[in-house]
């Protein structure tokens, strides 16, 4: 089969490698992809993820069997609708459904209709009214979220009024992340985990749960990022809790979408937290999570290309087999200054060095010169491995990372700490 993956990050790298690991001998392309992917035989295509016409033309001209969309932006902007109008197969939710990630207010209202447990919330477009609400609430910490897309960086946990004022000013007055609306919601304390599922209308097929680490620094300190690493499975979340998430979150939400005529086909991501009052939803996303994908897909024993082909044909997936032994761990290496001011344009290692790495590498914001890979954004690459237990996985990855040059990069040294 010929398959096109849209996106340029480590998530898309992991999807491509999973598609390549097939007895179908898939011919996999990634648009636009990145220089790191090419080191491992992934064919990149110089088309941006929002150039829908060029992507569709590439699919037509190259007899692509179907396209998979990795990042949220093209989904929110309607790439699935565009491809469908051209008669092209594409795996991902349509523009209406993508509002679940494109607007936190939309998602909250849908959760309310589905009776899915989540934090209490209020929405604001007015700077002054938002401050008045926080003053009246006088409850800290509290969470402020930009309503639209912010690449995982538009969520703030606020512990005092002065900080809240600064953040609200940046979002509602300065319009950081192009935000014109915010959600102010209850801070939920507990153990977080991620649950992804393949969805086709009323049917859903859960993946193993994972846990990602959003804060930039060790001990969950520093600013929120797009994710500094992940582990799968999550040893400190019991199986009965996972089944409860199927019953109280996935099933009612998927059925509510179907009842409202969304025609949802793609990946649904639930960011969950186990609180003292039970499971609650932090957020829903409409695509594979990043960095969760980098540690979840290596556990899939079934053929990913066949699973997606089956769903696109409207057929039932009879069996989806997942590895149930050991753990998978992934640690991101990022540019110094990330997430606010990543230091780009720096050498991060030779191509030969990366190609000889004995662990799996999923690349993100990198470009190349004749001999080296160069930083071109915040998160650069994820080092991933499988091991019998978490300590063995940590020993493997961190022994490798201890030998890299950290003049221009950094990484967290405690990924997987919750599972030890």
């Amino acid at each position: 089969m010929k398959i096109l993956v849209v996106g340029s990050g480590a998530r898309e790298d992991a999807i491509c490698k999973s598609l390549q690991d097939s007895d179908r001998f898939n011919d996999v392309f990634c648009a636009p992809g990145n220089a790191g992917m090419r080191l491992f035989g992934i064919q990149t295509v110089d088309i941006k993820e929002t150039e829908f016409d060029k992507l569709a033309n590439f699919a037509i001209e190259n007899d692509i069997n179907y396209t998979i969309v990795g990042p949220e932006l093209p989904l929110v902007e309607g790439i699935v609708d565009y491809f469908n109008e051209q008669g092209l197969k594409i795996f991902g939710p349509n523009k209406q459904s993508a509002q679940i990630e494109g607007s936190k207010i939309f998602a909250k209202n849908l959760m309310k209709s589905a009776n899915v447990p989540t934090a209490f919330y209020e929405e604001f477009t007015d700077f002054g009214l938002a401050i008045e609400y926080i003053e009246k609430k006088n409850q800290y910490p509290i969470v402020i979220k930009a309503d639209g897309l912010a690449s995982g960086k538009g969520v703030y946990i606020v512990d005092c009024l002065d900080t809240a004022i600064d953040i609200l000013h940046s979002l509602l007055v300065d319009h950081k992340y192009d935000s014109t609306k915010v959600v102010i919601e209850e801070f939920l304390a507990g153990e977080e985990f991620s649950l992804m599922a393949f969805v086709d209308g009323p049917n859903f097929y859960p993946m193993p749960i994972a846990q990602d680490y959003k804060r930039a620094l060790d001990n969950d300190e520093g600013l929120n990022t797009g994710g500094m690493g992940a582990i799968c499975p999550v040893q400190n979340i019991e199986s009965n809790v996972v089944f409860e998430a199927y019953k109280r979150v996935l099933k009612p939400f998927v059925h509510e979408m179907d009842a409202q005529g969304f025609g949802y086909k793609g990946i649904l991501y639930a960011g969950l937290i186990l609180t003292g009052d039970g499971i609650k939803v932090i957020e829903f996303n409409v695509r594979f999570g990043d960095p969760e994908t980098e540690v979840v897909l290596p556990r899939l024993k079934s053929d990913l290309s066949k699973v997606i082909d089956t769903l696109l044909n409207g057929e039932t997936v009879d069996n989806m087999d997942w590895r149930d032994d050991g753990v998978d761990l992934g640690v991101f290496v990022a540019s110094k200054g990330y997430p606010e001011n990543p230091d780009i344009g720096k050498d991060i290692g030779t191509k030969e060095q990366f190609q000889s790495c004995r662990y799996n590498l999923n690349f993100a914001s990198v470009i190349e010169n004749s001999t080296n890979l160069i930083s071109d954004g915040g998160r650069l690459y994820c080092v991933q491995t499988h091991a019998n237990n978490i300590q063995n996985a940590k020993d493997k990855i961190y022994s490798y990372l201890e030998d890299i040059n950290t003049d221009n990069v950094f990484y967290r040294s405690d990924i997987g700490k919750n599972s030890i």
Side-chain angles (χ1 to χ4, degrees):
M1 298 184 72
K2 289 187 174 182
I3 304 169
L4 172 63
V5 176
V6 175
S8 62
R11 165 185 49 215
E12 289 74 39
D13 191 334
I15 293 169
C16 287
K17 285 176 178 170
S18 185
L19 293 169
Q20 288 178 324
D21 186 20
S22 167
D23 57 12
R24 292 184 166 197
F25 304 103
N26 295 319
D27 203 4
V28 182
F29 302 86
C30 190
N34 64 61
M37 293 181 183
R38 292 194 290 273
L39 298 182
F40 296 89
I42 296 171
Q43 303 171 80
T44 62
V45 183
D46 189 18
I47 302 175
K48 296 177 182 177
E49 62 192 37
T50 53
E51 293 180 317
F52 298 168
D53 55 341
K54 292 182 180 179
L55 290 169
N57 287 338
F58 178 86
I60 293 168
E61 292 167 4
N62 290 274
D63 296 320
I64 297 295
N65 292 89
Y66 63 79
T67 298
I68 302 172
V69 185
E72 61 273 22
L73 182 59
L75 292 170
V76 170
E77 293 192 354
I79 187 173
V80 171
D81 306 72
Y82 186 89
F83 268 54
N84 286 338
E85 289 167 4
Q86 312 303 312
L88 297 169
K89 284 187 177 181
I90 184 167
F91 187 69
N94 59 28
K95 188 173 185 177
Q96 177 195 16
S97 303
Q99 291 181 80
I100 292 166
E101 184 164 358
S103 169
K104 293 176 177 62
I105 306 272
F106 182 89
K108 283 287 190 180
N109 290 337
L110 190 57
M111 281 186 253
K112 186 176 181 179
S113 298
N115 198 29
V116 167
T118 188
F120 72 74
Y121 65 98
E122 295 288 344
E123 58 185 274
F124 295 92
T125 56
D126 183 88
F127 174 60
L129 292 177
I131 294 173
E132 285 182 18
Y133 174 79
I134 290 180
E135 286 179 321
K136 184 177 180 180
K137 204 75 179 172
N138 194 30
Q139 177 180 321
Y140 299 98
I142 200 163
V143 180
I144 300 174
K145 297 180 177 179
D147 181 50
L149 300 177
S151 300
K153 297 186 283 289
V155 178
Y156 302 88
I157 300 172
V158 178
D159 56 9
C160 68
L161 180 61
D162 286 345
T163 302
I165 291 172
D166 290 342
I167 290 169
L168 288 169
H169 191 279
S170 71
L171 295 175
L172 293 178
V173 178
D174 297 334
H175 304 299
K176 188 176 184 179
Y177 308 120
D178 295 322
S179 180
T180 58
K181 186 183 294 185
V182 299
V183 175
I184 300 176
E185 67 179 34
E186 169 191 15
F187 173 78
L188 299 174
E191 194 71 25
E192 296 185 26
F193 62 101
S194 307
L195 173 59
M196 298 187 288
F198 296 90
V199 177
D200 181 19
N203 301 316
F204 64 93
Y205 308 87
M207 304 182 205
I209 63 171
Q211 191 167 57
D212 75 327
Y213 292 77
K214 290 292 188 188
R215 295 300 186 105
L217 306 177
D218 284 1
N219 301 312
D220 296 323
E221 296 179 355
L223 297 173
N224 269 346
T225 71
M228 294 298 294
I231 186 170
C232 177
V234 186
Q235 297 177 8
N236 50 327
I237 300 292
E238 300 291 338
S239 59
N240 64 304
V241 174
V242 179
F243 288 124
E244 187 73 6
Y246 297 165
K247 184 174 72 174
R248 298 190 60 209
V249 176
L250 279 187
K251 184 176 180 179
F253 195 76
V254 168
H255 286 188
E256 181 65 22
M257 289 194 298
D258 189 59
Q260 292 194 24
F262 280 37
Y264 198 104
K265 190 186 293 284
I267 302 299
L268 182 67
Y269 168 112
L272 305 174
I273 184 167
L274 179 59
T275 73
D277 297 323
I279 293 173
K280 293 191 178 183
V281 176
I282 298 172
E283 64 178 354
F284 277 112
N285 294 328
V286 295
R287 36 70 189 180
F288 280 107
D290 187 359
E292 292 92 341
T293 302
E294 290 90 300
V295 295
V296 171
L297 282 187
R299 301 185 71 83
L300 180 61
K301 295 169 70 175
S302 300
D303 187 326
L304 177 64
S305 65
K306 183 177 180 181
V307 168
I308 293 178
D309 191 35
T310 300
L311 293 171
L312 283 171
N313 289 328
E315 301 169 356
T316 301
V317 178
D318 294 325
N319 181 48
M320 199 175 298
D321 193 14
W322 296 91
R323 190 172 190 171
D324 58 8
D325 66 302
V327 299
D328 286 80
L329 183 72
V331 178
F332 251 105
V333 175
S335 299
K336 284 191 174 177
Y338 178 70
E340 290 205 316
N341 296 295
D343 194 7
I344 64 174
K346 305 292 186 181
D347 286 350
I348 61 169
T350 67
K351 296 177 185 179
E352 182 180 2
Q353 167 195 329
F354 289 118
Q355 287 175 312
S356 64
C357 177
R358 61 188 180 276
Y359 305 118
N360 185 37
L361 300 177
N362 295 124
F363 289 91
S365 301
V366 296
I367 54 177
E368 64 183 334
N369 60 24
S370 58
T371 59
N372 287 27
L373 291 184
I374 310 296
S375 61
D376 193 42
R379 293 186 302 164
L380 303 174
Y381 60 94
C382 180
V383 186
Q384 181 271 332
T385 193
H386 176 86
N388 291 331
N389 57 60
I390 177 60
Q391 191 58 56
N392 287 347
K394 286 172 68 73
D395 289 345
K396 287 181 178 182
I397 288 179
Y398 286 113
S399 65
Y400 169 76
L401 290 175
E402 284 173 3
D403 291 334
I404 70 170
N405 186 325
T406 55
D407 289 346
N408 303 314
V409 303
F410 76 100
Y411 56 86
R412 279 184 59 162
S413 64
D414 63 347
I415 301 300
K417 67 185 179 68
N418 302 48
S419 292
I420 294 178

